[in-house]
Amino acid sequence: MATILARLGRLAFRRRTSTLLAWLAILAAAVVAGLTAPPSPADDFSMPGTESQASIELLQQRFPGLIGEAGEGRVVFVAPEGEEVTSPRFKAAIESAVGQLAAGKQVSEVANPFTSHAVSDDGSAAYATISFDVPAASVTAESRTEVNSVVDSARSSGLTVEAGGEALESGGPAGIAELIAISLAAVILLITLGSVVAAGLPLLTAIIGVAISLLSLLGVSKAFGLSTTSTTLALMLGLAVGIDYALFVVARYREERGRGATAIDAVSLAVGTAGSAVAFAGLTVVIALAGLTVIGMPMLTKMGLAAAAAVVIAVLVALTLVPALIGFAPDKVLSRSARRTGAHVPALGLAHRWARFVLRRPIAVLALGVIVLGALAIPALGLRLGMPGDESKPTTATQRRAYDELAKAFGPGFNGPLMIVVDAQGAGDPKAAVTAISNKISSTPGVASVSPPMLSENGDTALFEAIPSTSPTDAATTNLVNTLRDTRPTIVQGTGASFKVTGTTAINIDLAGKLQRSLVPYLATVVGLAVLLLLVVFRSILIPIKAALGFLLSVLAALGSVVLVFQHGVLGGLLGVEQTGPIMSAVPIFMIGVVFGLAMDYEVFLVSRKREAFVHGQTPHAAIETGMRQSARVVVAAALVMMGVFAGFVTEQDAFIKMLGFALAAAVLFDAFVVRLAIVPAVMALLGHHAWWLPRRLDRILPAVDVEGAGLARPSHGRLEPGTKPNTPVPAP
C-alpha cells in the first residue's frame, strides 16, 4: 500500500495543475447538482419489523389517504389568567387568526378550535391545527413567516400565542456551527504549524471536499430520501476528517523536508506513510458507517451511507489534492525556521518528556487512565434512549412554549397520543368489539382519556387515540405502551378483534427499544473488526487487542458523559441543555461507528511511527520515545481540530446534532489524550518486545499491507526509490 500511494503522491505533485483542475471540475458539477436539486425529504423514522410500523401499513390499507405526507403545525392560544378563550373578544381574535392562517399559500386547511373540540376543559387554552398541502420538509420559509406574522398579530389581543409542529420547524441560523468549527480549526492549525499557508491548506482542501460531498448529496437527496439530518452529519464528519487527514499528510511532508529530502521526495514519502494511515482510517470509518445498514432502520442506513460518502471524498482529497497544492508552494508550507535554516529537527519538547514519564511509570499511568475512563463510563449503565421532541428545545423557542402550554392545558400526555388501530375483520359485531376494546383501554392505569373511535368505510377497522397521563418521553409512557401490548389477549378477549399500538410516541418507543437491543451486538462487531484490521496492519496479536479495549473504554466514557449532561443535567446549562430527558436513540450507535474510525486513525498514526522506528532497529522503549516525539504533536493538533469541529455543532438547536456533536467531541478527547497518548504507550512499555509478537503460521497467512511504510527507504540525496526494503528485520520477542 505504501509503495502505491507514494507513487500516487509523486504523480499528483508532478501533475498538480491537472489534478487541481480535475477537482475544480468535480466541484463545479456538484454545485450545479446541489443548486438545482429539489428540497430534501423529511426524516424517515420507519422501523420495519416493529408493531408500530405494521400498524401504519395496516392503516394505509384500510384508511386510504388517512396516513399521508402532508405537513402539520399547531397554533396555541392561551387566555390571560382568570379569563377564557371563549369570551367574545378572544373568540373573535382566534377566529380572525384562523381565517388569516387558512389564506396561506401552502395551507390546505385550518381547523377552527371552537368547532373541532380543541378547547381545554377549563377554557384557558385552545389550539388550531394547520394542514399544509406539501410535506413538512417542503414548507417554505415564506409560509412559516406568514404563520409567524399571524401569531404576532394575534398576540396584540392579549392572548398568549405560540406555534409548533414539524412543518413550522425553521432550525437555527444557517452556517453558525460550521463557522465556529472552521474558526476553531484555523486557530489550532496556525498555532501548531506556525505557517499561514500550512494552516490554510488543510482548511482549504477540507472545505473543497465537504462542498463536493454535501452538494452531491443534496443533488441525490430526493432520489435516495436523504434528509437534512443526513446531510448535516455528512458535513460534520466530512469537515472533521478532511482537516485531520490533510494535516497528517502536511505534517509528514514538513518532517521529511526537515530531514533534507527534496520536495517531490518528501511528498512521495508523506503520502506513502501518513497517506497509508489516512487510507486505512478512512476505510475503517466507511466500514463502520456502512455497517449501520444491518440494524434495519432506513434513516440510520441513509445517515451512515451519506457520512461514509463524505469520508471517501475526504480520503481522496488528502491523497491527491493535498500533494498537488503542496506542489504550488513547496517551501511556503514549511515553518519560518525550516525555510530559514533549510532543515528542522523536532525539539525534545513536551511530547518527549511525557513519553519518558510514561516509560518510567507505566503501571501508574495505565491504572489512572483506566480508573478515570471507567468512572466516566459508569453513568452509561443508566442509559435511556428515546426521541425527545419540542420539549428538548430551549424555552426561547416558540415550539417549546407551544408544547408547554398544551401540556399545561390538556395534560402532559396530550403532546404524545397513542394511536390504537383495531382490526375487527374477525368480529361478529365490529362496532361492539371496538367499543369493548376502547372501554378496556380507557380503564387501563396510565390512560387519561380516549377519543371516539373512527370506523373505516366497510366497518372492519377502527382508529382512536389514547392519551397517556404522562409525557411522551416519560418512562411511564413506555411502560404503558408495553402494558397495552402485553395485556392485549385480556383486552380483546371475547371480542373476536385485535388491536395494535402506533403513533409517533409508540414509533419512538419501538425505535429506542430496537436500537438499544442492537447497541451491544454492533459494539461487539466493531470491536471484533478493529482487532482483525489491526492484526493485518501491525502483524501483532497484542497491539490489536489493546487498541480495541482502549476504543471500548473511550466509547463507554463518552457515552457516560452524554448521559450525565443530557439525561441528568450535569453542566447542562453551559451547553444550552434546558430540559433533560432520554438520549436520542440513534446517537450511541452512530457515535460508535464514527469513533471507531477516528480511534483507528490515531492508533495507526501513532503506533505506525513506533513500529517504523522499531523495524529500523530501535529498542521497544526507544521506539516509543521516537514515535511519540515525531507524531504526538500532530495527533494532539488533529484531536483538537476534531473536538473544535464537533463542539461547534453543540450550538445547533436540533437535539440530535447537539447530542452527537458533544458525544463525538468527548469521545475524541478521551480516545486521543487518555487512550492513545497515555494508556497505549504505557501498555506497550509493559509489553516490550512481546507487543510485536505474531505466531509464524499466522505471519505467513496474513497479507503484507505495510501501512507504516517499512518498504519505503528515506532518501539521503536525490530521488526516493519506492519499494526499497529496510535492512533491519523485526526482532523476535
Side-chain angles (χ1 to χ4, degrees):
M1 179 185 290
T3 301
I4 295 173
L5 293 181
R7 289 170 178 161
L8 177 63
R10 181 181 291 272
L11 179 65
F13 184 93
R14 282 177 170 168
R15 301 188 178 179
R16 45 191 171 272
T17 302
S18 300
T19 303
L20 177 59
L21 290 176
W23 277 108
L24 291 178
I26 295 172
L27 176 60
V31 169
V32 173
L35 295 181
T36 58
S40 300
D43 288 321
D44 177 15
F45 291 104
S46 62
M47 202 68 169
T50 61
E51 177 174 323
S52 55
Q53 185 62 34
S55 304
I56 296 296
E57 294 168 359
L58 179 63
L59 282 175
Q60 290 172 336
Q61 295 174 6
R62 307 285 178 84
F63 287 88
L66 179 65
I67 305 297
E69 296 183 353
E72 281 193 351
R74 278 178 178 170
V75 176
V76 186
F77 305 91
V78 182
E81 189 172 355
E83 300 189 59
E84 297 183 5
V85 294
T86 53
S87 66
R89 69 187 182 100
F90 289 144
K91 184 175 181 180
I94 292 172
E95 290 181 333
S96 174
V98 168
Q100 295 176 57
L101 291 169
K105 292 180 180 179
Q106 294 182 298
V107 176
S108 61
E109 181 185 5
V110 178
N112 188 319
F114 302 109
T115 58
S116 61
H117 309 289
V119 180
S120 63
D121 293 338
D122 61 3
S124 65
Y127 65 90
T129 301
I130 307 172
S131 298
F132 292 88
D133 55 16
V134 294
S138 299
V139 175
T140 63
E142 182 181 358
S143 294
R144 292 194 297 267
T145 300
E146 290 178 351
V147 172
N148 292 331
S149 297
V150 174
V151 167
D152 292 337
S153 178
R155 287 171 179 158
S156 63
S157 65
L159 290 166
T160 297
V161 188
E162 305 294 349
E166 183 182 7
L168 300 179
E169 293 279 355
S170 59
I176 295 298
E178 293 85 345
L179 183 60
I180 293 173
I182 292 174
S183 300
L184 289 172
V187 172
I188 294 167
L189 289 172
L190 190 58
I191 293 173
T192 303
L193 300 177
S195 164
V196 174
V197 175
L201 195 151
L203 283 175
L204 176 62
T205 55
I207 291 172
I208 291 174
V210 164
I212 291 172
S213 57
L214 184 60
L215 291 168
S216 300
L217 290 171
L218 288 175
V220 300
S221 61
K222 187 70 174 179
F224 291 95
L226 301 177
S227 67
T228 303
T229 302
S230 298
T231 52
T232 302
L233 291 172
L235 169 62
M236 178 197 300
L237 190 57
L239 185 61
V241 300
I243 295 173
D244 267 16
Y245 292 168
L247 173 60
F248 288 152
V249 175
V250 170
R252 187 60 187 257
Y253 167 79
R254 284 157 53 105
E255 181 183 328
E256 296 304 327
R257 285 295 303 274
R259 290 195 175 104
T262 62
I264 190 170
D265 287 343
V267 162
S268 182
L269 190 54
V271 176
T273 53
S276 295
V278 164
F280 174 79
L283 175 63
T284 58
V285 178
V286 168
I287 291 174
L289 293 176
L292 294 171
T293 57
V294 303
I295 295 173
M297 179 183 172
M299 184 187 74
L300 203 60
T301 297
K302 293 170 186 176
M303 287 194 300
L305 293 178
V311 173
V312 170
I313 296 296
V315 171
L316 294 176
V317 166
L319 298 179
T320 57
L321 183 57
V322 170
L325 291 181
I326 290 176
F328 287 104
D331 293 332
K332 290 184 179 180
V333 177
L334 306 177
S335 64
R336 288 184 180 179
S337 60
R339 292 198 300 269
R340 186 171 56 252
T341 62
H344 172 67
V345 179
L348 302 180
L350 182 60
H352 182 260
R353 292 195 295 272
W354 171 249
R356 290 204 162 186
F357 175 81
V358 173
L359 291 174
R360 287 196 302 268
R361 300 175 178 83
I363 295 178
V365 171
L366 174 62
L368 182 60
V370 171
I371 290 172
V372 169
L373 295 184
L376 288 171
I378 291 175
L381 297 174
L383 173 68
R384 186 163 65 90
L385 298 182
M387 289 294 289
D390 287 344
E391 77 278 11
S392 65
K393 291 181 170 59
T395 53
T396 54
T398 185
Q399 292 90 349
R400 167 64 185 278
R401 295 196 298 269
Y403 178 97
D404 290 342
E405 295 292 356
L406 287 171
K408 181 180 177 181
F410 296 91
F414 180 81
N415 287 294
L418 305 176
M419 294 174 63
I420 309 298
V421 184
V422 181
D423 185 355
Q425 278 189 338
D429 186 347
K431 287 186 178 180
V434 170
T435 301
I437 291 173
S438 176
N439 291 337
K440 289 183 181 179
I441 289 178
S442 177
S443 61
T444 301
V447 175
S449 63
V450 297
S451 66
M454 178 175 62
L455 292 171
S456 61
E457 288 185 6
N458 57 11
D460 64 353
T461 309
L463 173 67
F464 63 88
E465 287 186 345
I467 307 297
S469 58
T470 50
S471 67
T473 57
D474 196 304
T477 304
T478 302
N479 294 334
L480 172 62
V481 171
N482 294 332
T483 297
L484 290 174
R485 290 170 173 172
D486 293 342
T487 59
R488 182 162 28 214
T490 303
I491 294 174
V492 303
Q493 187 174 11
T495 65
S498 185
F499 72 88
K500 296 182 185 296
V501 183
T502 187
T504 301
T505 300
I507 290 173
N508 290 340
I509 290 171
D510 288 346
L511 169 65
K514 185 167 185 177
L515 289 179
Q516 192 144 8
R517 291 190 297 272
S518 303
L519 196 58
V520 172
Y522 182 69
L523 185 58
T525 301
V526 168
V527 170
L529 181 63
V531 171
L532 292 177
L533 289 174
L534 291 179
L535 180 64
V536 173
V537 171
F538 292 122
R539 311 187 74 79
S540 163
I541 294 292
L542 299 180
I543 291 292
I545 294 174
K546 171 266 305 171
L549 292 178
F551 159 71
L552 192 61
L553 264 178
S554 58
V555 163
L556 293 178
L559 198 55
S561 301
V562 172
V563 171
L564 279 176
V565 173
F566 292 94
Q567 198 169 304
H568 300 305
V570 178
L571 300 178
L574 297 176
L575 299 171
V577 181
E578 298 184 13
Q579 180 69 36
T580 59
I583 306 305
M584 295 287 284
S585 300
V587 167
I589 206 158
F590 200 90
M591 181 191 74
I592 290 171
V594 174
V595 175
F596 168 67
L598 302 183
M600 296 305 101
D601 187 357
Y602 299 138
E603 176 75 11
V604 171
F605 195 76
L606 277 167
V607 178
S608 64
R609 299 307 300 272
K610 297 169 186 175
R611 178 173 172 79
E612 186 177 344
F614 182 70
V615 165
H616 285 84
Q618 293 189 12
T619 64
H621 278 211
I624 293 173
E625 283 190 41
T626 300
M628 292 284 284
R629 184 178 67 250
Q630 292 176 339
S631 57
R633 180 181 175 85
V634 178
V635 168
V636 167
L640 290 175
V641 168
M642 282 274 190
M643 291 169 57
V645 171
F646 293 141
F649 286 87
V650 177
T651 62
E652 289 280 312
Q653 286 189 11
D654 185 276
F656 177 73
I657 299 299
K658 180 187 285 288
M659 285 186 189
L660 187 60
F662 174 82
L664 293 176
V668 170
L669 171 66
F670 300 143
D671 195 83
F673 290 95
V674 182
V675 174
R676 308 303 156 190
L677 293 176
I679 292 178
V680 166
V683 171
M684 293 183 69
L686 292 172
L687 292 175
H689 281 85
H690 297 283
W692 307 109
W693 173 74
L694 182 70
R696 291 183 178 179
R697 182 175 298 179
L698 187 57
D699 185 38
R700 290 193 297 268
I701 297 174
L702 293 178
V705 179
D706 189 22
V707 170
E708 70 277 1
L712 297 176
R714 294 192 185 92
S716 55
H717 303 286
R719 179 181 174 84
L720 170 69
E721 296 295 338
T724 305
K725 300 297 181 183
N727 295 322
T728 308
V730 179

